[in-house]
Amino acid sequence: MAAQLGGTPVLILKEGTERTRGKDATSVNIQAARVIADSIRSALGPRGMDKMLVDNFGDVVITNDGATILKEIDVQHPVAKFVVELAKSQDDEVGDGTTTVVIIAGEFLKQAERLLELEVHPTVIVEGLRKATEKAMELIDVNSRRVTIDNVSELKKVAMTAMASKVVVGSSDYLSDLVVKAVRSVATQRDGKWKVDIDDIAMTKKEGESLEDTILVTGLVIDKEVVHAQMPKTMKNAKIALLAGALEITKTEFDAKINITSADQMKLFLDREQSLLSEMADVIKNAGTTVAFCQKGIDDLVQHYLARAGILAIRRVKKSDMDKLAKATGGKIITNVRELDAEDLGSADLVEERKIGDDKMVFIEGAPEAKAISILIRGGTELVVDEAERALHDAIMVVRDVVEDEKVVAGGGAIEAELAAEISKWSATFSGKEQLAIEGFAKSLEIIPSTLAENAGLDPIDIMVELRSKHESDGSTWGVDILNGRVADMANTIVVEPAAVKRHAISAASEAAQMILRIDDVIAAKELEGGGPPGGGPPGAEGEGEFD
Ligand SMILES: Nc1ncnc2c1ncn2[C@@H]1O[C@H](COP(=O)(O)OP(=O)(O)OP(=O)(O)O)[C@@H](O)[C@H]1O
Ligand SMILES: [Mg+2]
């Protein structure tokens, strides 16, 4: 980029910098967002297709989850990346509706593009989007129903709707019961409002058996086994030590040479090593420990001493599991075993190793801070278990959304169709180009019922004509009943969604569209050669994190 100063060009940007401005920039950005939206449209709804994604390492993921699909595809364009972030934020905040949010954002931009061609200025479109979004938030509230934590059957419907579009739909009846039970049992009331910390619901996956062998455990499940055959496999009234450091003699960082010149010296050396190890076991025993979870390794000798003391020990426990154990058992994680004392111990009614399929796992039940609950997911193959975890995540989040917000809306595109109808009417109170922008917003929302219909093999045009007339004359809860292939009053079906998911989807999609429309200048630095990180190392090379 250069400006002129008395005939001399002044260079402002680095050589190689690319700059796109004005309409070109906007239109390229809109295209990038729309390509992403179009690529996941076919995944929407219970008849949506799944995607099979294969990464550089050949690992395969089969999923219908919008956020997961977008996370796995490696997009380059900055606006495309932004859309991927949009799905992620939907996933983090409300857990479901990640496909919806991207499709709606794409449609907002499609309508905007049409208006730009009609010479409507981007700021007018942005303002229209902003006003219409505010109106949509009000209308979602007006069209929602109250569902409280005691309404188990409604909560179950919400969970079933979230799972309706997932591979595990066949077992959604069974899994929904489990999800509702789990969420209700970790919910706590604060100032009259229910709160759910979803970290209190742990998920552990184990291939084998079938989805319906998935169980709820009040407590934690650790995917490890008792380290030594002679240790007890069951411990009641467990006193639990949580050790972050290794129960081994750590090798020095440097090469050291020890000159041993006599057999006596050798014996001394070995005795010393042995006594250090037995000291470790003694400290653990003397603190009153009956169960020890160690994040690192446990030396054979220490294992032997602990077994002799009747202590149940588990090694190489994941850091995240250690944190959960600390929270549930009330124990403190100790880095240096020598500092362990009785006060640091946590407790639980029962710690037990059980056989699950071909493997053994350790169950911790009846811990004092036992808000924690685990779902032990079973299923035929790794792919099924992985997708089940994602589906359960969505289901847990939507039930949480409703428990906290106490509002649901009719699904199957009903709420979107109602908002479209109402906002389109409301747009008549505005004049000129602003009216066009608000109408564009309203029209965009119809993409949800119309895509649901299209994905189910129905004729979207016929369906939308019928749906509009129903909203005009019969009521606000009509939508596309996919399983029966017709337009129906969704209030009479089990298709129910949290109002929070719709609020977030529409407002986040609108914000994203507004942000994209406001950009009229893209200044991109020249890409580094090889695309690698500065310093020239290949991306993701071994040795990553070596300075940790
Ligand atoms: N039986 C059904 N009949 C009609 N529509 C349904 C039915 N079950 C679910 N839906 C609709 O399907 C849509 C959700 O589809 P899907 O779960 O594939 O996408 P998403 O929730 O936007 O994204 P993701 O679940 O990937 O985060 C919602 O609009 C919901 O109302
Ligand atoms: Mg969903």
Side-chain angles (χ1 to χ4, degrees):
M1 179 192 179
Q4 292 283 326
L5 184 75
T8 327
V10 183
L11 286 177
I12 296 174
L13 296 177
K14 244 191 188 163
E15 203 183 335
T17 305
E18 256 183 60
R19 184 172 187 197
T20 337
R21 312 168 69 166
K23 280 195 176 161
D24 281 351
T26 318
S27 119
V28 168
N29 288 342
I30 290 179
Q31 289 317 322
R34 286 192 53 200
V35 166
I36 300 285
D38 282 345
S39 71
I40 62 166
R41 264 190 65 185
S42 68
L44 184 77
R47 291 279 189 267
M49 305 298 278
D50 301 328
K51 309 268 172 194
M52 180 187 258
L53 308 155
V54 187
D55 70 11
N56 308 355
F57 301 103
D59 285 342
V60 180
V61 175
I62 296 179
T63 186
N64 175 285
D65 194 71
T68 310
I69 298 169
L70 294 179
K71 195 173 75 198
E72 298 283 333
I73 52 180
D74 190 9
V75 297
Q76 283 300 325
H77 193 279
V79 166
K81 285 191 176 150
F82 178 57
V83 175
V84 173
E85 282 301 307
L86 176 67
K88 188 171 175 300
S89 112
Q90 178 82 14
D91 198 31
D92 294 343
E93 299 286 326
V94 286
D96 193 20
T98 62
T99 313
T100 303
V101 69
V102 173
I103 294 178
I104 294 182
E107 202 60 19
F108 283 157
L109 290 168
K110 182 173 163 193
Q111 293 296 331
E113 206 173 23
R114 198 177 52 85
L115 294 172
L116 289 171
E117 276 163 20
L118 298 173
E119 300 294 327
V120 180
H121 194 273
T123 17
V124 177
I125 306 176
V126 166
E127 192 50 22
L129 279 172
R130 200 188 56 75
K131 285 189 179 147
T133 307
E134 252 173 44
K135 183 72 179 169
M137 297 302 111
E138 276 170 35
L139 287 169
I140 290 176
D141 265 357
V142 173
N143 285 287
S144 62
R145 246 178 338 109
R146 182 153 187 256
V147 168
T148 59
I149 188 165
D150 303 318
N151 198 338
V152 174
S153 66
E154 283 293 316
L155 292 178
K156 182 175 173 186
K157 286 184 194 171
V158 176
M160 292 210 29
T161 302
M163 283 197 266
S165 51
K166 307 290 178 220
V167 181
V168 298
V169 56
S171 307
S172 69
D173 190 37
Y174 175 79
L175 296 176
S176 299
D177 280 331
L178 222 78
V179 164
V180 173
K181 219 165 157 189
V183 174
R184 279 167 47 92
S185 65
V186 301
T188 50
Q189 214 172 10
R190 243 176 281 153
D191 308 325
K193 281 203 168 280
W194 286 98
K195 281 269 158 226
V196 176
D197 182 355
I198 69 149
D199 289 342
D200 286 337
I201 304 174
M203 285 198 257
T204 309
K205 299 177 279 187
K206 197 89 220 163
E207 282 168 57
E209 307 280 342
S210 77
L211 280 169
E212 308 215 352
D213 293 299
T214 297
I215 52 165
L216 202 66
V217 182
T218 32
L220 293 171
V221 183
I222 307 286
D223 189 3
K224 289 281 174 246
E225 53 185 278
V226 173
V227 71
H228 193 279
Q230 250 97 57
M231 285 178 178
K233 301 289 180 290
T234 301
M235 187 65 68
K236 288 199 179 128
N237 298 321
K239 294 274 165 271
I240 301 169
L242 303 170
L243 307 165
L247 298 179
E248 289 167 337
I249 294 179
T250 36
K251 311 261 178 314
T252 50
E253 296 268 324
F254 310 97
D255 280 339
K257 238 189 214 157
I258 303 170
N259 281 326
I260 293 175
T261 45
S262 70
D264 280 353
Q265 271 182 347
M266 186 66 193
K267 187 168 179 311
L268 257 175
F269 180 73
L270 290 177
D271 283 353
R272 176 75 190 128
E273 216 176 65
Q274 196 168 347
S275 75
L276 277 174
L277 291 169
S278 86
E279 257 170 43
M280 284 183 190
D282 283 345
V283 175
I284 294 171
K285 190 175 88 183
N286 295 341
T289 310
T290 58
V291 174
F293 288 93
C294 182
Q295 201 180 318
K296 302 271 170 59
I298 306 181
D299 189 281
D300 288 350
L301 257 180
V302 180
Q303 288 180 25
H304 167 78
Y305 291 133
L306 291 176
R308 226 172 41 187
I311 294 172
L312 184 164
I314 293 114
R315 70 174 160 184
R316 302 199 197 291
V317 179
K318 278 193 293 193
K319 167 88 174 68
S320 57
D321 283 339
M322 291 296 281
D323 292 340
K324 282 181 193 142
L325 281 165
K327 196 170 171 196
T329 66
K332 195 168 147 203
I333 300 175
I334 300 296
T335 311
N336 182 353
V337 62
R338 288 179 188 83
E339 286 165 15
L340 180 77
D341 71 45
E343 277 170 27
D344 302 323
L345 301 183
S347 63
D349 293 344
L350 180 71
V351 175
E352 186 169 56
E353 180 189 86
R354 293 181 198 150
K355 203 158 188 258
I356 300 292
D358 292 335
D359 289 300
K360 292 170 187 155
M361 298 176 107
V362 176
F363 289 66
I364 298 97
E365 296 179 357
E369 307 297 325
K371 273 267 149 263
I373 277 232
S374 299
I375 297 180
L376 175 56
I377 307 171
R378 309 301 313 278
T381 66
E382 197 185 334
L383 291 177
V384 170
V385 181
D386 285 350
E387 180 67 353
E389 185 185 23
R390 287 187 287 269
L392 284 167
H393 161 80
D394 282 21
I396 289 169
M397 287 290 278
V398 289
V399 174
R400 179 207 75 167
D401 292 339
V402 176
V403 165
E404 291 190 348
D405 182 52
E406 302 192 337
K407 287 189 183 126
V408 301
V409 292
I415 184 72
E416 289 88 351
E418 178 62 12
L419 295 180
E422 286 298 313
I423 293 175
S424 171
K425 265 190 234 156
W426 180 70
S427 74
T429 61
F430 293 83
S431 58
K433 292 182 171 165
E434 195 163 27
Q435 178 180 8
L436 288 181
I438 294 176
E439 232 175 46
F441 176 100
K443 208 168 161 21
S444 306
L445 296 180
E446 289 189 339
I447 189 73
I448 298 301
S450 117
T451 305
L452 284 171
E454 193 181 332
N455 288 349
L458 304 168
D459 182 344
I461 296 176
D462 289 351
I463 292 279
M464 288 317 295
V465 169
E466 195 183 345
L467 194 57
R468 281 188 207 120
S469 98
K470 288 290 182 196
H471 278 263
E472 191 60 40
S473 53
D474 290 0
S476 60
T477 46
W478 287 73
V480 194
D481 178 359
I482 295 297
L483 303 183
N484 297 304
R486 60 187 162 89
V487 169
D489 187 351
M490 302 310 280
N492 304 326
T493 65
I494 66 149
V495 188
V496 182
E497 292 184 273
V501 168
K502 297 298 173 187
R503 271 201 302 267
H504 196 278
I506 293 172
S507 61
S510 167
E511 272 168 25
Q514 291 174 40
M515 193 176 270
I516 291 170
L517 288 169
R518 276 206 203 96
I519 302 169
D520 77 338
D521 202 347
V522 178
I523 304 164
K526 193 177 167 191
E527 236 182 75
L528 290 170
E529 248 160 62
E542 303 129 326
E544 206 180 350
E546 67 185 319
F547 300 114
D548 275 350

